[in-house]
Amino acid sequence: MKLTLSWLRDHLDTTATLTEITDALTDLGLEVEEVVDPAAKLSSFTLARIEHAEPHPDADRLRVLRVETDEGEKQVVCGAPNARAGLVGVLAKPGDYVPGIDTTLGVGKIRGIESHGMLASERELELSDEHNGIIELPSGQVGQRFVDWLAENAPEKIDPMIHIKITPNRPDALGVRGIARDLAARGLGVLKPLEVQAVAGSYDSPLGVTIAPDVLDRAPHFTGRLIRGVTNGPSPDWLQQRLRAIGLRPISALVDITNLFTFDLNRPLHVFDAAKVQGDLTVRGARDGESLLALDGKTYALRAGDLVIADDHGPESLAGIMGGEASGVTEATTDVFLESAYWQPIGIAATGRALRINSDARYRFERGVDPAFTRDGLELATRLILDLCGGEASHVVETGAAPDHARAYRLDPARTQSLVGLDIPEAEQRATLEALGFRLEGAMAHVPSWRPDVQGEADLVEEIARIASLSRLQGQPLPRPRAGVPQPVLTPLQRRESAARRMAAALGYNECVTYSFIDQPSAALFGGGSEAVRIENPISSEMTHLRPDLLPGLLAAAARNQARGFMDLSLFEVGPVFTGGEPGEQAVQLSGLLVGGNAPRDPHGSRRAVDIYDAKADAEAILSAIGAPARAQIDRKLDGWWHPGRAGNIALGPKRLATFGEVHPRILKALDVKGPAVAFTVHLANVPLPKVKTPTRPALEISDLQAVERDFAFVVDNRVEALALVNAAQGADKALVERVTVFDEFKGERAEAQMGLGKKSIALTVRLQPKGKTLTDADIEAVAAKIVEKVGKATGGTLRG
């Protein structure tokens, strides 16, 4: 919606500045998109008087002028035919930017004579297309700013244009008067009264109008009248300037008047050349095979039922959207039929979208114009046509009636405080609604016909708060449920998620955020894809099921990165996974994925392929960060997407804390991921909570006694796992044994040659940490004997000789 400041002042008696008005409009919800102020680009130009003019010695069409300016007398070379002594014009000095020629002036030489500036034409200052001579002013003082002279003598030439973004729920603001009403309610002026005086017709219209019964719900009200003897010449300058300021091209007086009413009062109109209409007009639905050559020069094939205004020949106008060229007015038009009607918004929107026609009329009718202003709009337009084009008006032809818009809602002054938080006195609330056109009867507020968006009591509150300004809101702290230090708001699981996420990032992983929906084949690879987790209305064919695991999304991200040349990847994600569609059938996991090498290539041979131990170490680090017990079991009760011999679970009895290992080659092939690829999944909710809840960390336990380390090498069967030896040694003396680690494994043909067929050697380091006294040799030997005994019973291993 575009308007000019002077146009706004036709409806609003105000002394507010342009800045005050634009700031208020945005605050009222009518966001200002752009302001074009012609005065801004003319601020540097001043008035000057030519004291003497003589021909240029080397050019017949040029003159050398002595010009009196506010900086003294200057010499200017000018080629304008009207440059003469005594003329008061507009001077552009060196350093001034001239918008019409897109040039910043400097002191120049023209045919050998210096020129200190130029006297400008209207086109050079972008005031009009006139360029046959320089500007001649009938008055003005030397040195006076040109914009000040224009403000006093021709304010329309520097009239600022305001472009406002209108939301779909505010059709009343699609007219200048509606915008003025909002500003008046804000207190930036007084809304001028709009007087509607009926034009007395002097004869019956020879053109009749009927509305077909089957379209009465879409075209409830039609008014019109014939005006004969009009002269359709150019519209007056004030009207042309008003339309040009908002980007419209003046066409003729009749067309310009209809455009004026569209933007001035949000009342689209149409004029038919009565001489081109055959018979009476009928508002009806289009028939199969009918078409319309519209005013935009395009022929539209109409759908059956599209609302049209037709004569005996066929459609003459697409109702509420665009007129037809066949009955359009021209300069030769002498008799016109002026139409002012109300069209149901949904029908207009449907037809406009189907035919892909965008027009100012459609834009307004599909949002909702004032149904009660149909007849008044006709009377006002008739008066302006008679004033500008002459002619004689007939009696009004009217069929149907304006739809009933009457509705009222109770105004509860206390509700403004409860809904918005503004304490506005009841008297101010009532005054606001009255200024916006509401009629108050006791506690009931009757909604004006031009506000179809007001549909309840809450909308009354919104209007009051909007006019009062939401900028008056002051932040208030929410009341605390209990005094003192606030209680934590995050649940233990939420805190655990945060700690796990930070640790994964610290380990060098990049976080991914993927959709919780995946395709059915990918879900089936990870034990999902059942009907219980199928999405009823998926957004795409690749998002049909809830994910059963986080790894499908990470593997898909890895495949996309590999396709673009990124082969070494460290990715992780925290999010929900789903085993079913019922409450409680979802859990939060953290999954990490390592693909490619563990380090960049370097001359020291540091790079190697990622392996199961990388995933295991990272999983253990994250478990440690979220408070998992240091000692856990490893089992191999694996899901089908893990490599059966190169993966394991970290568990506490039957409760699985994490899974780590290589992803099954079948999965990698199906998801187009080039290995090696190892991964881990941490089940955050399965980690037991600490038995003692305290906001502080436990005290650090250290010993001032010397720790002792002893190495053991055991000969065991090849099928025995190293973890069995570690667990057995760890349980030999839980008080003294602090840590057990594997530091060597000797197996293969050479090992079997020394130790026997099917045998291997596993070497352990056991760290003993005394608590009460320093260990003696006897104490150490006793613990060593227990370790050998425990390992022997658990694995059948013997000390290697």
Side-chain angles (χ1 to χ4, degrees), residues 519-595:
D519 59 286
Q520 196 278 335
S522 296
L525 292 174
F526 291 84
S530 66
E531 282 296 306
V533 291
R534 185 175 65 85
I535 306 300
E536 187 69 27
N537 186 23
I539 60 177
S540 76
S541 60
E542 296 179 349
M543 298 183 180
T544 58
H545 287 70
L546 292 171
R547 62 187 178 192
D549 199 275
L550 296 178
L551 286 179
L554 294 178
L555 289 167
R560 289 192 296 270
N561 278 274
Q562 287 183 336
R564 289 161 178 78
F566 299 97
M567 306 306 293
D568 297 339
L569 301 168
S570 301
L571 308 175
F572 86 96
E573 181 173 8
V574 180
V577 296
F578 305 87
T579 57
E582 298 299 324
E585 293 182 335
Q586 75 175 60
V588 178
Q589 291 182 355
L590 183 150
S591 289
L593 177 67
L594 294 170
V595 181

Side-chain angles (χ1 to χ4, degrees), residues 235-309:
S235 55
D237 289 342
W238 68 266
L239 180 51
Q240 292 192 34
Q241 290 172 357
R242 185 157 288 182
L243 296 180
R244 285 195 185 98
I246 61 173
L248 294 181
R249 178 176 60 88
I251 298 175
S252 65
L254 289 171
V255 176
D256 293 350
I257 288 170
T258 62
N259 286 333
L260 175 71
F261 274 78
T262 297
F263 286 86
D264 187 51
L265 299 172
N266 190 30
R267 178 63 259 176
L269 305 167
H270 184 60
V271 285
F272 297 86
D273 188 330
K276 298 176 182 178
V277 177
Q278 301 178 18
D280 291 336
L281 295 176
T282 302
V283 180
R284 60 172 174 83
R287 304 186 180 106
D288 287 332
E290 287 187 325
S291 62
L292 175 70
L293 176 61
L295 289 172
D296 60 359
K298 299 179 182 179
T299 300
Y300 295 95
L302 304 179
R303 306 175 306 161
D306 284 341
L307 201 61
V308 298
I309 304 174

Side-chain angles (χ1 to χ4, degrees), residues 167-247:
T167 53
N169 67 319
R170 290 296 308 280
D172 62 300
L174 292 173
V176 177
R177 186 166 183 82
I179 296 170
R181 184 182 295 110
D182 269 15
L183 290 170
R186 171 56 70 87
L188 263 68
V190 177
L191 186 67
K192 297 180 180 179
L194 181 65
E195 296 181 2
V196 181
Q197 295 181 353
V199 176
S202 57
Y203 59 94
D204 290 333
S205 171
L207 276 179
V209 179
T210 58
I211 302 175
D214 61 328
V215 301
L216 197 58
D217 58 332
R218 293 186 287 158
H221 193 201
F222 188 104
T223 65
R225 73 187 334 155
L226 187 77
I227 306 175
R228 63 190 182 193
V230 299
T231 302
N232 188 28
S235 55
D237 289 342
W238 68 266
L239 180 51
Q240 292 192 34
Q241 290 172 357
R242 185 157 288 182
L243 296 180
R244 285 195 185 98
I246 61 173

Side-chain angles (χ1 to χ4, degrees), residues 403-478:
D404 184 14
H405 66 273
R407 60 193 186 280
Y409 304 105
R410 190 174 70 90
L411 173 62
D412 182 2
R415 200 171 183 199
T416 304
Q417 172 68 31
S418 64
L419 288 183
V420 184
L422 287 175
D423 187 11
I424 303 174
E426 181 179 352
E428 183 180 341
Q429 295 188 36
R430 298 178 70 90
T432 295
L433 292 178
E434 289 174 344
L436 290 173
F438 291 79
R439 179 169 54 86
L440 295 176
E441 293 182 354
M444 301 302 293
H446 295 262
V447 182
S449 57
W450 57 81
R451 292 301 301 271
D453 58 308
V454 178
Q455 296 292 334
E457 295 180 16
D459 292 331
L460 300 179
V461 174
E462 181 183 359
E463 290 302 297
I464 294 167
R466 184 174 64 87
I467 299 301
S469 180
L470 294 177
S471 63
R472 290 168 53 180
L473 282 171
Q474 295 182 354
Q476 298 290 337
L478 292 173

Side-chain angles (χ1 to χ4, degrees), residues 67-416:
V67 180
E68 183 183 354
T69 74
D70 57 338
E71 297 177 354
E73 193 171 89
K74 302 283 186 180
Q75 178 174 277
V76 176
V77 178
C78 180
N82 61 334
R84 64 187 184 276
L87 181 146
V88 177
V90 181
L91 176 68
K93 303 174 184 177
D96 290 346
Y97 174 75
V98 183
I101 57 176
D102 191 23
T103 300
T104 300
L105 295 181
V107 177
K109 280 191 176 183
I110 302 176
R111 294 290 184 92
I113 295 181
E114 281 191 350
S115 180
H116 296 263
M118 65 177 288
L119 292 170
S121 67
E122 289 198 358
R123 187 170 76 173
E124 289 164 338
L125 300 186
E126 294 186 342
L127 295 175
S128 72
D129 292 331
E130 177 62 43
H131 64 286
N132 292 326
I134 58 177
I135 296 173
E136 294 187 44
L137 300 181
S139 61
Q141 300 295 321
V142 171
Q144 182 182 6
R145 293 202 316 159
F146 183 43
V147 290
D148 295 337
W149 186 92
L150 288 173
E152 295 175 4
N153 299 276
E156 69 280 357
K157 291 184 179 293
I158 54 170
D159 198 8
M161 187 280 292
I162 306 170
H163 182 193
I164 302 172
K165 183 178 181 180
I166 306 297
T167 53
N169 67 319
R170 290 296 308 280
D172 62 300
L174 292 173
V176 177
R177 186 166 183 82
I179 296 170
R181 184 182 295 110
D182 269 15
L183 290 170
R186 171 56 70 87
L188 263 68
V190 177
L191 186 67
K192 297 180 180 179
L194 181 65
E195 296 181 2
V196 181
Q197 295 181 353
V199 176
S202 57
Y203 59 94
D204 290 333
S205 171
L207 276 179
V209 179
T210 58
I211 302 175
D214 61 328
V215 301
L216 197 58
D217 58 332
R218 293 186 287 158
H221 193 201
F222 188 104
T223 65
R225 73 187 334 155
L226 187 77
I227 306 175
R228 63 190 182 193
V230 299
T231 302
N232 188 28
S235 55
D237 289 342
W238 68 266
L239 180 51
Q240 292 192 34
Q241 290 172 357
R242 185 157 288 182
L243 296 180
R244 285 195 185 98
I246 61 173
L248 294 181
R249 178 176 60 88
I251 298 175
S252 65
L254 289 171
V255 176
D256 293 350
I257 288 170
T258 62
N259 286 333
L260 175 71
F261 274 78
T262 297
F263 286 86
D264 187 51
L265 299 172
N266 190 30
R267 178 63 259 176
L269 305 167
H270 184 60
V271 285
F272 297 86
D273 188 330
K276 298 176 182 178
V277 177
Q278 301 178 18
D280 291 336
L281 295 176
T282 302
V283 180
R284 60 172 174 83
R287 304 186 180 106
D288 287 332
E290 287 187 325
S291 62
L292 175 70
L293 176 61
L295 289 172
D296 60 359
K298 299 179 182 179
T299 300
Y300 295 95
L302 304 179
R303 306 175 306 161
D306 284 341
L307 201 61
V308 298
I309 304 174
D311 61 4
D312 294 344
H313 176 71
E316 293 293 343
S317 173
L318 197 55
I321 297 177
M322 187 173 289
E325 190 171 286
S327 59
V329 296
T330 64
E331 292 184 357
T333 298
T334 57
D335 298 341
V336 297
F337 186 81
L338 174 64
E339 166 223 322
S340 176
Y342 177 77
W343 314 105
Q344 191 263 350
I346 295 178
I348 297 298
T351 300
R353 291 176 186 176
L355 299 179
R356 298 181 180 179
I357 302 178
N358 292 311
S359 66
D360 292 325
R362 174 202 160 183
Y363 188 80
R364 284 158 173 79
F365 277 122
E366 70 182 4
R367 284 160 174 77
V369 302
D370 183 359
F373 195 69
T374 304
R375 177 69 180 263
D376 289 345
L378 179 75
E379 299 290 0
L380 290 171
T382 301
R383 176 65 63 188
L384 189 58
I385 290 175
L386 296 178
D387 290 344
L388 300 185
C389 305
E392 184 182 7
S394 73
H395 300 300
V396 173
V397 178
E398 185 170 11
T399 182
D404 184 14
H405 66 273
R407 60 193 186 280
Y409 304 105
R410 190 174 70 90
L411 173 62
D412 182 2
R415 200 171 183 199
T416 304

